[in-house]
Amino acid sequence: MPAPEAGDEAGPTSGGTGPEAPPAPGRQAVPGPGPGPGRTRGSFLADLHALPGRVSVRLRLTLLYGLLFFLAGGLLLVVTYLLVADILSNIDVGVYGLATSEQLERLRQQFIEQTMRQLIGRSLLALAGVGIIALVLGYFVADRALAPLQKMTTTARQLSESTLHERIALEGPEDEIKELADTFDAMLERLGQAFDSQRRFVANASHELRTPLAINRTLLEVALGDPEASDDLKAVGRTLLATNARHERLIEGLLLLARSERELTTWSPVDLAEVAARVLETTGKRSDGPEVTVHPELTAGRAMGDPVLLEHLVSNLVDNAIKHNVEDGEVFVRTGVLDGFAACQVENTGPVVPAYEVERLFEPFRRLYTDRIESAKGAGLGLSIVRSVVRAHRGTVYATPRPGGGLVVTARVPLAL
């Protein structure tokens, strides 16, 4: 796949990217701890109070295990000191030869002091060595204890509207972590039911609206075909027919959006190059939209997914690039393999797109410079459908403004094995 143009190096985030946000006005770097110049004692205490919140749970548990071990070791050392001191105080010291009682007592005290000194020194060294080992073991124990929470975090990061069927399904004793995981699974179940209900409503409403729109189109076509119809009636009829066609496209887009947000049931290898070639062949027969020059740069990129949805993905990207273009503009359609994914990249000339508007273009009914305002160019569902299809395939899509005007949209889906 050809190298992306300037601006295509933005990291792939689902839905779009923009330039990195600058720091908020008025925000300054937090000074290091300690009541330095210009800092009060209250702010220093506030920093100390907030310090535990900046330390990870794993490190806090490790420090807690280490602290408890050192406290227990210190208590054991004190008890051992008292017991040994009591035992040594009852020991009689005997010396061969002549010695006075004062000399014997002095020798006994020296023996006790030397023994206790060596006991304390070696006990402290042993406590420090075993304490370090306890800290290391405590770190791994904390890591194992937090493993279920890490699994919950990983599952939560992978969730989207199309992957709400996934569950943590934590196995183990009925403890607090198991209860939390079960609660999280129950919440996902309710969210999945809510999204399914919403999709069914959109699909059913769209199906119900298609019939009256089809009837309206038929009646308008019959009226326009009447040779006795006046010019004014024909002008009004053509306007209503165009409006009816826009509504039909809107309904089709809503149906496709509802379908693409469901869990995929069909997975098969699809070559994006063949899909793009078929889409471009169909697009070349269209007469609507501005006159543009399409430059296909197609290389093999076998993706795994739903062939129909992937065709809609490429079709919406190409249609969007043609509709939102200028007369005598250009469209570049590229397929291939990018960073281990099957990718389709569509670049078009057109009006300048501000970087802060890129993310919003992936929202339903959003158009450049307008917000939910009717437009003859479309219903504003093209990029929304693209993002839903990509998410259903567990891929990513991102867009960047093209220098000089236009947009570069790159969709990536998993490769076929």
Side-chain angles (χ1 to χ4, degrees):
M1 182 174 179
E5 300 288 338
D8 288 348
E9 297 179 358
T13 56
S14 179
T17 58
E20 184 177 354
R27 294 286 300 273
Q28 297 179 354
V30 179
R39 291 178 55 84
T40 62
R41 180 176 179 81
S43 61
F44 174 66
L45 294 178
D47 288 345
L48 289 179
H49 182 71
L51 184 61
R54 303 172 186 171
V55 181
S56 65
V57 176
R58 182 187 303 175
L59 183 57
R60 277 185 280 178
L61 287 176
T62 302
L63 294 177
L64 179 60
Y65 295 154
L67 178 61
L68 292 177
F69 176 83
F70 279 110
L71 289 177
L75 179 60
L76 179 61
L77 182 59
V78 171
V79 172
T80 302
Y81 178 85
L82 295 177
L83 291 176
V84 173
D86 182 65
I87 293 173
L88 292 179
S89 63
N90 297 322
I91 293 178
D92 294 331
V93 177
V95 178
Y96 292 104
L98 298 177
T100 64
S101 58
E102 295 179 356
Q103 291 176 337
L104 290 176
E105 181 63 23
R106 186 167 57 252
L107 289 174
R108 191 173 73 86
Q109 291 296 332
Q110 290 178 356
F111 170 75
I112 293 175
E113 291 176 0
Q114 291 177 2
T115 302
M116 297 304 297
R117 190 180 303 113
Q118 292 184 14
L119 174 65
I120 294 175
R122 295 182 182 182
S123 298
L124 290 176
L125 289 176
L127 179 63
V130 178
I132 294 175
I133 297 176
L135 285 174
V136 175
L137 294 177
Y139 182 84
F140 289 104
V141 170
D143 181 69
R144 184 170 181 81
L146 295 175
L149 296 180
Q150 294 172 354
K151 181 180 179 181
M152 295 174 60
T153 303
T154 302
T155 303
R157 286 175 178 171
Q158 294 175 348
L159 289 178
S160 66
E161 295 180 13
S162 59
T163 57
L164 287 176
H165 61 281
E166 296 183 3
R167 297 292 182 269
I168 298 175
L170 183 65
E171 298 179 356
E174 295 293 335
D175 54 9
E176 290 79 1
I177 296 181
K178 179 70 162 54
E179 183 180 359
L180 177 61
D182 293 342
T183 303
F184 191 78
D185 286 342
M187 181 189 67
L188 291 179
E189 183 70 26
R190 292 193 297 270
L191 284 176
Q193 293 176 358
F195 277 108
D196 288 340
S197 176
Q198 180 187 26
R199 296 185 191 111
R200 285 195 299 270
F201 172 78
V202 172
N204 294 335
S206 300
H207 278 297
E208 293 296 326
L209 290 174
R210 293 175 72 181
T211 300
L213 287 175
I215 296 174
N216 288 342
R217 184 181 71 252
T218 303
L219 294 176
L220 289 171
E221 290 174 348
V222 171
L224 290 174
D226 188 357
E228 298 181 359
S230 63
D231 293 339
D232 292 340
L233 180 59
K234 290 183 178 180
V236 173
R238 284 191 292 269
T239 302
L240 292 176
L241 194 60
T243 303
N244 195 85
R246 285 199 299 271
H247 291 163
E248 287 183 332
R249 289 195 298 269
L250 173 61
I251 297 303
E252 293 296 333
L254 289 174
L255 281 172
L256 179 58
L257 187 62
R259 177 187 173 188
S260 63
E261 289 181 343
R262 294 197 297 267
E263 181 182 358
L264 293 184
T265 57
T266 303
W267 292 86
S268 59
V270 182
D271 192 344
L272 292 183
E274 296 179 1
V275 173
R278 185 164 55 250
V279 169
L280 293 178
E281 182 181 357
T282 305
T283 304
K285 301 177 182 179
R286 293 174 41 180
S287 58
D288 57 330
E291 291 292 333
V292 299
T293 303
V294 179
H295 303 279
E297 302 174 7
L298 309 180
T299 56
R302 291 178 61 81
M304 180 63 69
D306 188 321
V308 177
L309 287 181
L310 290 176
E311 183 173 348
H312 280 296
L313 183 151
V314 178
S315 177
N316 276 275
L317 285 177
V318 174
D319 288 344
N320 190 75
I322 293 176
K323 290 177 182 178
H324 301 279
N325 214 313
V326 294
E327 289 294 338
D328 300 326
E330 295 180 301
V331 174
F332 300 87
V333 181
R334 307 182 181 101
T335 61
V337 178
L338 179 65
D339 297 333
F341 288 85
C344 177
Q345 183 182 87
V346 177
E347 174 185 353
N348 70 306
T349 56
V352 176
V353 182
Y356 57 83
E357 286 282 351
V358 171
E359 177 67 24
R360 300 175 61 189
L361 294 178
F362 285 88
E363 299 177 8
F365 307 108
R366 292 282 187 174
R367 306 177 185 89
L368 185 61
Y369 304 124
T370 58
D371 188 9
R372 297 181 176 88
I373 298 177
E374 185 178 6
S375 172
K377 292 183 178 181
L381 292 175
L383 292 182
S384 301
I385 293 173
V386 169
R387 182 170 63 177
S388 295
V389 172
V390 169
R391 284 180 172 177
H393 287 79
R394 300 175 184 176
T396 57
V397 58
Y398 55 97
T400 54
R402 182 178 182 272
L407 203 65
V408 181
V409 184
T410 304
R412 307 191 308 178
V413 293
L415 281 170
L417 300 178

